Amino acid sequence: MAAVLLAVGGCTAHRTAVSKDGRKTSADERGTAAALRGITLPSWNRTDYDSPAAARYLRDIRAAGAHWVTFTPTWYQTHPADSALHTTEETASDGSLTRIVRRAHRAGLKVMIKPHVDLPGDVDRAEIRPRDRAAWFAAYRRFITHYADLAADTDTEQLAVGTELAGVSADRADWAKVIAAVRQRYEGPLTYAANYDEYRKVRFWKELDLIGIDAYWPLSEKPTDDPGRLRRAWEPIAARLAAFSEQQGRRILFTEAGYVSQRGATTAPYSWTVSARTGNAEQAAAYRALLDTFEGRRWWAGVCWWMWDDWPDSGETPAKLAYSPHGKPAEQVLKEKWTR
């Protein structure tokens, strides 16, 4: 699959930003508000964000209680060892991304842009390990500063500087240069979306405003729709995250979290294909357990769920089995928790 609200970014530095009314605000002012409530609306094709369904999806996301939506423009590289990044027909066009950010704002939603770099087929982006790292990071700076400029031009409220790039995310000096280049163009809060098994290896958290984690921890060995059991599974993870947040001096945002509506989803939350059997009750229990576990913890900056509906005619996974909570008991959990 491989989000910050100015009041959400937990940051100990005293960097200032400019609010929409022109007032400069310190990071300390922005660090104590309620947790982010977000849902991702990914794109798979150049024109997805111009789909006639876009307005309806944004209204539905807002009606579910979300205050944020994440968009995911994606570039590609041909081989894990390559240094070049390029757009394809699966890359959301700049025009469509600009238009949907503005449409989201009109719908009352704040926006995170979370650019992805992917490989062909089913190869995991964590496998990216370029032969020429200097050339790759130069290409990556061009890629991410392109979206920093777009985020600045559209008043996007938050930007992720990368997503699940475990093969290169330990390179502190190179990422520091990337982040510095982004900050020259974009004044909003920054995060990086580390996979759940990657975040401890990242060496540049203190260059950012938030620790981002794609929270796909397996929670059970067998299928379960018992929220209590799932909460108990979260507790040791939450304890480790609290300690890590304190160590780094940053709040932790779940830049992604989600569960397919399949039996066994909690055994492998990162998988699209756990089972051919529906598991709506298990998906809903997992949503409830995550929110019950983390809401109210000051070090936790919120969650951006993966994901809302696929675009018409674009989904490879049938809707009844997909990550979307739309029209399922998990959506009712969100409305119960987020609109009360």
Side-chain angles (χ1 to χ4, degrees), residues 77-86 119 128-132 136:
Q77 64 182 76
T78 304
H79 187 275
D82 288 350
S83 300
L85 308 179
H86 58 273
L119 293 157
I128 292 173
R129 288 173 173 80
R131 283 185 297 266
D132 186 339
W136 187 89

Side-chain angles (χ1 to χ4, degrees), residues 122-151:
D122 295 327
V123 183
D124 189 342
R125 68 177 71 98
E127 298 301 314
I128 292 173
R129 288 173 173 80
R131 283 185 297 266
D132 186 339
R133 292 209 168 202
W136 187 89
F137 272 102
Y140 192 86
R141 282 197 300 275
R142 290 191 291 273
F143 156 73
I144 199 63
T145 54
H146 173 79
Y147 289 108
D149 288 337
L150 191 150

Side-chain angles (χ1 to χ4, degrees), residues 277-299:
R277 296 176 58 186
T278 58
N280 287 348
E282 188 166 355
Q283 183 191 46
Y287 268 63
R288 184 177 300 279
L290 187 151
L291 293 174
D292 284 350
T293 299
F294 291 99
E295 282 185 333
R297 302 194 187 215
R298 288 180 59 81
W299 57 265

Side-chain angles (χ1 to χ4, degrees), residues 65-92:
H67 299 157
W68 282 78
V69 61
T70 295
F71 301 126
T72 62
T74 303
W75 288 26
Y76 293 83
Q77 64 182 76
T78 304
H79 187 275
D82 288 350
S83 300
L85 308 179
H86 58 273
T87 62
T88 74
E89 285 303 305
E90 296 179 356
T91 304

Side-chain angles (χ1 to χ4, degrees), residues 46-54 93 95-97 99-100 103 311:
R46 180 174 178 80
T47 59
D48 276 345
Y49 288 145
D50 280 329
S51 168
S93 71
S96 72
L97 182 58
R99 285 186 287 273
I100 201 161
R103 179 170 275 179
W311 301 99

Side-chain angles (χ1 to χ4, degrees), residues 220-260:
S220 59
E221 294 182 358
K222 297 179 181 180
T224 180
D225 57 9
D226 179 354
R229 178 178 171 184
L230 296 171
R231 286 196 301 272
R232 290 190 292 275
W234 270 120
E235 284 302 333
I237 299 168
R240 292 194 296 271
L241 293 178
F244 190 76
S245 172
E246 183 174 4
Q247 177 190 40
Q248 297 295 324
R250 300 291 184 275
R251 296 176 78 199
I252 293 175
L253 174 67
F254 287 174
T255 34
E256 290 181 23
Y259 305 88
V260 288

Side-chain angles (χ1 to χ4, degrees), residues 1-43:
M1 284 150 294
V4 195
L5 168 61
L6 291 183
V8 169
C11 180
T12 56
H14 292 275
R15 187 174 58 85
T16 59
V18 179
S19 64
K20 292 185 184 296
D21 63 3
R23 182 177 65 89
K24 288 188 176 181
T25 60
S26 72
D28 284 349
E29 286 182 86
R30 304 194 299 270
T32 57
L36 181 152
R37 297 175 172 182
I39 296 176
T40 303
L41 186 58
S43 64

Side-chain angles (χ1 to χ4, degrees), residues 169-325:
S169 61
D171 295 10
R172 181 176 183 176
D174 286 315
W175 278 102
K177 293 176 184 176
V178 167
I179 294 164
V182 170
R183 290 211 188 273
Q184 288 176 356
R185 293 164 169 80
Y186 175 73
E187 293 186 321
L190 301 179
T191 188
Y192 168 86
N195 201 30
Y196 75 99
D197 58 358
E198 175 197 2
Y199 74 95
R200 289 185 176 277
K201 303 171 187 175
V202 174
R203 297 290 179 260
F204 50 88
W205 290 127
K206 292 186 179 180
E207 306 294 329
L208 299 170
D209 301 293
L210 287 169
I211 296 166
I213 301 178
D214 291 353
Y216 295 109
W217 279 275
L219 299 176
S220 59
E221 294 182 358
K222 297 179 181 180
T224 180
D225 57 9
D226 179 354
R229 178 178 171 184
L230 296 171
R231 286 196 301 272
R232 290 190 292 275
W234 270 120
E235 284 302 333
I237 299 168
R240 292 194 296 271
L241 293 178
F244 190 76
S245 172
E246 183 174 4
Q247 177 190 40
Q248 297 295 324
R250 300 291 184 275
R251 296 176 78 199
I252 293 175
L253 174 67
F254 287 174
T255 34
E256 290 181 23
Y259 305 88
V260 288
S261 45
Q262 298 171 24
R263 179 171 168 78
T266 57
T267 69
Y270 45 78
S271 175
W272 290 78
T273 54
V274 179
S275 170
R277 296 176 58 186
T278 58
N280 287 348
E282 188 166 355
Q283 183 191 46
Y287 268 63
R288 184 177 300 279
L290 187 151
L291 293 174
D292 284 350
T293 299
F294 291 99
E295 282 185 333
R297 302 194 187 215
R298 288 180 59 81
W299 57 265
W300 189 66
V303 58
C304 197
W305 293 100
W306 184 275
M307 51 167 263
W308 202 245
D309 278 351
D310 266 322
W311 301 99
D313 303 320
S314 71
E316 297 180 4
T317 304
K320 67 179 182 179
L321 298 174
Y323 276 91
S324 175

